[in-house]
Structure formats: C-alpha cells, structure tokens
Amino acid sequence: MNVSDYDFELPEELIAQTPLLDRTSSRLLVLHREDGSTEHRAFADLAEYLKPGDTLVLNDTRVLPARLFGVKADTGAKVELLLLRRIEGDRWETLVKPGKKIHVGAKLSFGAAAGEETADASKPLMTALVEEEGDMGARVIRFEYEGIFNELLDRLGQMPLPPYIKMRLSDRERYQTVYSRHEGSAAAPTAGLHFTEQYLERLKAMGVKLCPITLHVGLGTFRPVSAETIEEHEMHAEWYSVSEQSANLLNEAKDRGGRIVAVGTTSARTLETIGGRFGEEPVRACDGWTDIFIYPGYRFKKVDALITNFHLPKSTLVMLISALAGKDNVMNAYREAIDREYRFFSFGDAMLIL
C-alpha cells in the first residue's frame, strides 16, 4: 500500500494554534463506519452516543516539560534538546538541534529558567554528555546535575508542542489532560484534551466506566513516514502499562457486552497490543514496550469505537483510523471536515468513529 494514498491538502489556516477556552466546546464529527455516513455535532454531545455499560479508555500519561534550550559548553553555540524517553538512570533518548553539529563526546550546558535566552555555561544547573549518535538528530545523552532531576526539568524545560504550533502556550496545563497522572510523554494524547473533570463525572453518572491505562508517547510522534509504502515503515517502541484494576474493567466490559471506546490513538494502540498479548484469554495487569503498527487490513481485537482528533496527512495515525473505519470513509470525512473548516491537529476538533 502506498503512503501517498493517505495524503490530502490542508489549508494552513485550519491548523489550530491555541486551545479553546472551554475544553468541551470543540466540534465533533461523528463517522459511522458501517455505511460511511457522518454527523456534525459539538463535543458536548458525545454523551448522546455513549451507553450505560460502555467503557471509556483514557491514556493517563503526563507530558514532561521536555524541551530544553542550552549551549555547547565549548563554543557557546545554542542547542535545543527534546527528551523522548528515559533509558535508565540519567541516560535519555533525545532529539537534538542542530543535529549535524552535535556529536558523540559533546557536552551541553543548561542553566537558564524557562523564557531566558541563554544558559550560563560556566555555572550550569545541568549538563549533558552525548554518548551515542543516531539518525535524524537522535542522540543518547547522560545528564549530570545536583538536586532532583524532575524539579530541574520543571524549572528549565518548556512544553514540547508540535512543530506546526507556532504560538507559545501560556498555561502548561492546557497541553495536559485533566486525568494525566504518570509523567513520561514527549507529547500529549490530544484526543483527551477535550474532556473536563465535570464532563467525565457526567459520563460516570450515566453508567459509563472510566478505565485509565498508560502509554508514554515517544519518538514516533515526531518522525514522519519517509517510506514510499506502508509495509516499509518501522514504528518506534513506546512504553505502556495496564493496572490490575483496569484489566478487570476491560474484562468486565467484554463479559457484559459493553463497548470499549478508546480515547485517542495511543489508547487504541495500547488496547490492541494487549489484545494481541492475551488473545481470547482475560486481560491481566501488564507493562512493556509496543511498536504495533495498525493500518488497513488489521482486524481490531479490543477497540469497538474511537474518539480522536484530526491527524496529519500521510501519518500512521490516519492509517490507524482508516483500518478501523475504512480508508474511503476516512478520506471522505476529512474532505467534509476541511470543507466545513474544522480545526485540525493537537488543539483542534474531534472525531467519533462508531
């Protein structure tokens, strides 16, 4: 299958640059996968499509302030570092800019609070040594510092907004879901940004179960599909975790015939990973790494419905929702969304696939 089959033209003005003041005030395109029909609603209408006994699966990862700005210790040249995942201890997988000038053995200094332009290389709060070099700016680095790493990161770091968002975020929490709990992501599970605590309580009151799971979003989010065919693309692994309580909720949903509704593609990928891990057996508490790549031809094992945002052209996420709803249905729905000027990407509107 050709990656180009999942391309479409998107006017730049439809890329949402800021979140709406009210999380639930976004629009909602409802796509019925059986016949490809669509409805154009408000996100606040979601409750009309959920039933008592449905289980809403929420990715409770929390985004790290993972973008650091500093200097090369020897030259004072500016550098940018994006933390992707902790390998062990103080060793991290990262992306660096400028990648062509940062090599193994380079020492980086970070010492400016968020918003300051440069770090003081002579008295840095934190340094980083480049230990391994990969492709497209990927580096393994080791941090050195005094104190508590997360406190320093909170002081020095900025939220790692996607490159298509040009405006700076005034409130960090608007790039976190209201149910975020476990720090470790390099990007937000953005379908969850539409929910407020009050709206979740409303869903619970009508009999919808809330099931938290964790998938820390990593390198794959920042890497485009560069292959010409889908089969050639290689996904990067991301860490996931499912608690015993959440495993029980998923088993109960299937036992009573309720639907499992994934909030976001990260939740969907986690659910399908454990679906492949346990097969027809009951789900158990588990964690591990997943590099599952879902594209048309895949048969879903756990996900019955999906809440998602509108994704980038030729992205693995467009391929995932096409596997669930059918490529033609998805492409037609996207054309409708563009014609009706829906807001796209992280801070944009939502889609419900039933």
Side-chain angles (χ1 to χ4, degrees):
M1 284 181 282
N2 292 324
V3 172
S4 59
D5 292 339
Y6 297 86
D7 197 9
F8 56 90
E9 289 190 16
L10 179 70
E12 187 174 352
E13 62 267 22
L14 297 186
I15 300 174
Q17 293 295 315
T18 56
L20 299 175
L21 291 177
D22 178 4
R23 289 177 183 258
T24 62
S25 64
S26 63
R27 298 163 72 185
L28 179 70
L29 190 155
V30 182
L31 172 59
H32 299 271
R33 51 185 166 142
E34 186 171 326
D35 61 5
S37 62
T38 58
E39 300 176 66
H40 300 278
R41 306 291 299 271
F43 188 83
D45 299 330
L46 174 67
E48 297 180 24
Y49 296 91
L50 300 178
K51 307 171 185 176
D54 285 345
T55 297
L56 207 61
V57 179
L58 310 165
N59 183 5
D60 65 2
T61 188
R62 188 166 174 82
V63 186
L64 292 165
R67 178 164 276 123
L68 291 165
F69 295 91
V71 297
K72 288 187 68 177
D74 56 348
T75 66
K78 293 182 180 180
V79 297
E80 179 181 339
L81 191 70
L82 178 65
L83 307 184
L84 295 174
R85 69 178 180 93
R86 188 193 299 269
I87 299 172
E88 59 180 359
D90 292 318
R91 297 182 75 237
W92 285 77
E93 180 183 16
T94 70
L95 290 179
V96 301
K97 291 182 181 180
K100 293 182 179 180
K101 297 184 177 180
I102 309 297
H103 302 292
V104 172
K107 192 170 185 179
L108 314 178
S109 298
F110 305 93
E116 296 179 18
E117 293 186 357
T118 60
D120 181 353
S122 64
K123 297 180 180 179
L125 294 176
M126 187 159 57
T127 60
L129 179 67
V130 178
E131 295 189 336
E132 298 178 25
E133 188 171 340
D135 297 331
M136 298 175 67
R139 301 290 186 272
V140 173
I141 62 96
R142 182 187 298 275
F143 283 106
E144 296 180 2
Y145 54 90
E146 292 184 3
I148 300 173
F149 180 78
N150 279 9
E151 290 183 357
L152 287 171
L153 188 61
D154 191 59
R155 176 179 174 183
L156 300 174
Q158 296 182 16
M159 294 303 283
L161 296 179
Y164 50 76
I165 294 179
K166 309 302 182 184
M167 298 183 66
R168 188 165 177 177
L169 192 63
S170 59
D171 178 7
R172 286 186 179 185
E173 288 303 307
R174 291 301 275 113
Y175 196 57
Q176 305 279 13
T177 63
V178 297
Y179 46 79
S180 63
R181 295 292 181 271
H182 304 292
E183 280 197 332
S185 271
T190 54
L193 297 178
H194 300 284
F195 289 95
T196 62
E197 292 176 351
Q198 293 80 4
Y199 200 83
L200 290 171
E201 287 299 321
R202 175 184 169 186
L203 297 178
K204 285 172 62 177
M206 59 179 275
V208 175
K209 304 291 185 181
L210 304 184
C211 175
I213 59 175
T214 305
L215 182 134
H216 291 322
V217 187
L219 183 63
T221 295
F222 300 93
R223 286 282 169 84
V225 178
S226 56
E228 291 186 4
T229 64
I230 291 175
E231 293 81 1
E232 293 176 280
H233 180 68
E234 182 178 343
M235 296 285 285
H236 288 81
E238 296 169 315
W239 187 84
Y240 72 92
S241 177
V242 179
S243 68
E244 182 177 358
Q245 181 180 7
S246 293
N248 290 338
L249 284 171
L250 295 173
N251 294 330
E252 291 168 6
K254 286 300 183 184
D255 290 344
R256 65 173 179 265
R259 295 179 301 177
I260 292 179
V261 182
V263 176
T265 55
T266 58
S267 294
R269 292 180 67 242
T270 305
L271 287 166
E272 292 306 303
T273 296
I274 63 176
R277 180 169 178 169
F278 295 106
E280 297 299 320
E281 298 296 318
V283 174
R284 300 188 299 276
C286 59
D287 58 41
W289 294 90
T290 180
D291 60 359
I292 189 170
F293 183 13
I294 298 174
Y295 54 86
Y298 178 87
R299 297 190 66 178
F300 282 80
K301 303 172 180 66
K302 294 293 181 184
V303 175
D304 298 307
L306 174 66
I307 301 166
T308 184
N309 279 19
F310 292 93
H311 305 294
L312 278 75
K314 299 193 293 186
S315 66
T316 61
L317 306 182
V318 170
M319 297 167 195
L320 184 153
I321 64 172
S322 295
L324 181 64
K327 182 175 78 70
D328 290 343
N329 289 343
V330 168
M331 290 297 139
N332 288 336
Y334 268 50
R335 279 191 286 271
E336 282 191 33
I338 292 169
D339 289 343
R340 292 171 178 258
E341 298 185 340
Y342 275 69
R343 290 157 49 93
F344 272 64
F345 305 161
S346 296
F347 290 139
D349 295 315
M351 172 186 280
L352 170 64
I353 300 175
L354 294 172

